[in-house]
Amino acid sequence: MWAAVSVRRGWFLRINSRGDYPGSVRLLREDHPFLDHDSYLGCGGDLIVVDDYALAEALERQSIPARQGICGRINLALVPEIIVNIQASDRLTGNQKRQIVAELGEL
């Protein structure tokens, strides 16, 4: 799964089940009903860039029918922690960090 960190630019970060990546922020299942279990948002980097067309195709290609088109929202209480981890990333450029932090700050 992915989480959008800049809708304007089509930038996403990975959601995974292991928290051993730099800058991981824990996402509790109870706060995120779209998750099957507690997971982690990898804020340390690994930025995924996808345009609207590719995103729509990816959602349609989901092999689990119940997850096709799934969209959820990260609990807004985690935004400050996400921002701290974004800013600490050594894989994101300064410009990427500024853009992401600015957009997350609008939530």
Side-chain angles (χ1 to χ4, degrees):
M1 293 185 120
W2 303 340
V5 290
S6 175
V7 173
R8 293 180 192 127
R9 290 174 172 73
W11 292 351
F12 295 80
L13 292 174
R14 294 186 193 287
I15 295 175
N16 57 65
S17 53
R18 295 190 345 234
D20 53 354
Y21 299 101
S24 291
V25 173
R26 188 169 185 201
L27 306 176
L28 297 175
R29 163 71 177 94
E30 64 192 48
D31 296 331
H32 303 90
F34 58 92
L35 296 174
D36 291 334
H37 48 80
D38 290 354
S39 299
Y40 296 86
L41 177 63
C43 299
D46 215 9
L47 192 64
I48 301 161
V49 181
V50 182
D51 64 29
D52 289 342
Y53 179 77
L55 179 59
E57 276 193 333
L59 289 171
E60 287 178 17
R61 282 194 319 263
Q62 168 56 255
S63 61
I64 303 169
R67 291 191 178 183
Q68 290 175 351
I70 192 170
C71 290
R73 185 179 195 115
I74 302 296
N75 187 317
L76 292 178
L78 295 176
V79 170
E81 183 180 357
I82 291 168
I83 288 173
V84 165
N85 283 283
I86 293 288
Q87 291 173 323
S89 172
D90 61 359
R91 298 184 70 190
L92 297 170
T93 68
N95 183 52
Q96 289 169 332
K97 292 177 188 182
R98 282 188 295 280
Q99 297 295 328
I100 293 168
V101 168
E103 201 160 326
L104 291 178
E106 295 173 0
L107 298 176

